[in-house]
Amino acid sequence: MRPALVVLGAAALLTASVAVPQASAAGRTSTSLAWYDATAETIAAAGASTQITNSRTWAISWLAAARATRSVPPGVERGAYQEAALAGAVHRALVTLVPSRAEQLDATYKETLDAIPDGPAEQRGVAAGEKQADLVLKSREGDGLDPASVNAPYPVKPAAPGVWQPTPPAYAPAAQYGNRLAKPFLLRTQSQFRLGPPPAVDSEHYAADLAEVRAYGAADSAVRSAHQTETATFWLGSSLTLYTEPLRVALSRADQGIAGQARLVALFHVALVDTQIATSDSKYAYERWRPVTAIRTGTIDPDPDWTPLHTTPAHPDYPSGHNTYAGAAQTVLSALVGPRIAPFDLTSPTAPGVTRTYTAWKQLSDENVDARVFSGIHTRSADEAGITLGTNVARYVLQNAGRLLAPR
């Protein structure tokens, strides 16, 4: 209970520090959402090939906005200043990181500034936002989160029980090996929250894990239900994509003013960058083989023809990256918005025509745990360990947010 109370205490301090008069919140909410949508559209249209690089773009842009809106100088109108500061920060960061979208971003920027009265509040807000963006961009130069660094070559170990090997059908080189060397935003080291080892391959625990994924994750499974297949397909895509809409729902309902909204988005993505770094640290510390390799070549009733429902990603099993992401997202949203929320609908690009409704962030995590088993690409132990790792990193980010958010 104590770590959870610490997180909630930190969240309470954050919320208290960003409260603004309710009468002036409506306009600032629309500004936050406009730039949230602009960020999402920028990354969807011209983002990097690696998820963590796009998480970095979110984190840099909105960390600059959170710092720029944190305090308002005396003598200027608060709302106008903060709107201009947020727009100045996110616009400057995005056009620097994704210059191919400058025309669209410039149009959104003009719309924002046209709606703000001309004068000192607007001018000083823009200047503050651009200054913070430049400082954050400078601080993240050479952080190892560019696609080439992220996918640094990985020397595959000789085949042995439990050791990761490239997986069918493409037998592609390992991905995300370089994440484990990248510079975190807040973690002291990449290995700060390294998990304990996965279940031994000769243990009863591992045998049970493998039996479950063999039965429920097979392409031709006779026991997986239609709903379970839908769950696997619904959560198949990029975690960044799948959590963009839930975070937007939280942002649209957060009664914290523009500074609180900027902090919500910033801390969400800072936590996710650091979580992905920690995920690769644990993945490549243990180099655990994937279920398809274990089932086809292992000693437990090997089946060389076994095929998972979905293609196995090209990196080790333990922990599940989808679930580290889910654990971090759940922790940040629960702390800063509350664990439950009024019902909201969610769709998925990998499950056309399917709409699911949620009332708690934990529901998304629970479905992620099941989904990767039903897809045949992770053991349950890897999924549950992922939730633990993401939760641990996000708690640390929330507890240490103050030293990250202070304007430079």
Side-chain angles (χ1 to χ4, degrees), residues 14-334:
L14 283 170
T15 303
S17 71
V18 300
V20 296
Q22 184 61 39
S24 59
R28 294 196 292 279
T29 299
S30 64
T31 299
S32 296
L33 288 174
W35 282 99
Y36 185 90
D37 292 342
T39 309
E41 290 163 4
T42 295
I43 288 172
S49 57
T50 45
Q51 177 168 299
I52 194 170
T53 309
N54 293 322
S55 295
R56 173 187 186 269
T57 298
W58 276 99
I60 288 174
S61 304
W62 286 81
L63 176 56
R67 289 178 177 175
T69 57
R70 186 177 177 89
S71 60
V72 179
V76 299
E77 199 279 315
R78 182 182 186 86
Y81 176 90
Q82 290 183 317
E83 288 185 50
L86 185 144
V90 180
H91 174 264
R92 174 65 70 91
L94 288 178
V95 296
T96 302
L97 294 169
V98 195
S100 63
R101 294 288 293 178
E103 181 179 352
Q104 295 85 350
L105 293 164
D106 288 349
T108 302
Y109 194 44
K110 183 178 185 302
E111 289 175 8
T112 301
L113 297 186
D114 284 349
I116 300 172
D118 293 336
E122 180 187 58
Q123 295 166 2
R124 296 179 71 177
V126 166
E130 292 181 344
K131 174 186 175 183
Q132 293 303 324
D134 290 342
L135 289 171
V136 178
L137 286 162
K138 180 67 175 176
S139 73
R140 297 304 301 181
E141 288 180 359
D143 60 10
L145 293 173
D146 58 285
S149 298
V150 167
N151 287 326
Y154 165 70
V156 179
K157 301 293 189 348
V163 177
W164 184 84
Q165 298 294 303
T167 51
Y171 296 94
Q176 303 172 16
Y177 180 60
N179 282 2
R180 76 197 212 293
L181 299 177
K183 175 185 174 183
F185 276 84
L186 270 173
L187 295 183
R188 296 190 301 273
T189 67
Q190 298 91 338
S191 62
Q192 182 177 345
F193 290 103
R194 181 177 293 176
L195 293 162
V201 293
D202 59 353
S203 67
E204 292 184 4
H205 188 166
Y206 187 69
D209 269 351
L210 207 60
E212 180 187 29
V213 73
R214 181 195 297 262
Y216 284 90
D220 59 354
S221 173
V223 296
R224 187 181 59 243
S225 69
H227 183 75
Q228 290 169 335
T229 301
E230 180 187 282
T231 297
T233 304
F234 192 90
W235 291 102
L236 180 61
S238 158
S239 295
L240 181 70
T241 300
L242 291 166
Y243 273 89
T244 297
E245 183 59 25
L247 177 57
R248 190 187 193 282
V249 170
L251 182 69
S252 69
R253 300 180 186 182
D255 185 20
Q256 299 175 359
I258 198 168
Q261 291 173 322
R263 282 181 173 86
L264 171 62
V265 180
L267 292 179
F268 185 95
H269 285 285
V270 164
L272 292 177
V273 170
D274 281 11
T275 292
Q276 290 172 80
I277 291 171
T279 298
S280 288
D281 171 78
S282 283
K283 275 185 179 289
Y284 288 101
Y286 297 112
E287 302 174 304
R288 172 54 61 93
W289 62 3
R290 286 282 186 158
V292 65
T293 308
I295 293 170
R296 288 188 177 190
T297 68
T299 59
I300 305 174
D301 190 21
D303 179 357
D305 296 321
W306 187 89
T307 300
L309 173 63
H310 293 128
T311 300
T312 300
H315 42 75
D317 178 57
Y318 181 89
S320 159
H322 264 55
N323 283 287
T324 61
Y325 205 105
Q330 177 188 331
T331 301
V332 173
L333 292 171
S334 296

Side-chain angles (χ1 to χ4, degrees), residues 9-11 13-14 17 63 66-67 70 185-186 263 267 270 336 395-408:
L13 289 173
L14 283 170
S17 71
L63 176 56
R67 289 178 177 175
R70 186 177 177 89
F185 276 84
L186 270 173
R263 282 181 173 86
L267 292 179
V270 164
L336 299 185
R395 283 176 173 168
Y396 183 81
V397 167
L398 291 168
Q399 291 162 3
N400 292 275
R403 62 185 175 90
L404 181 72
L405 295 173
R408 281 11 183 206

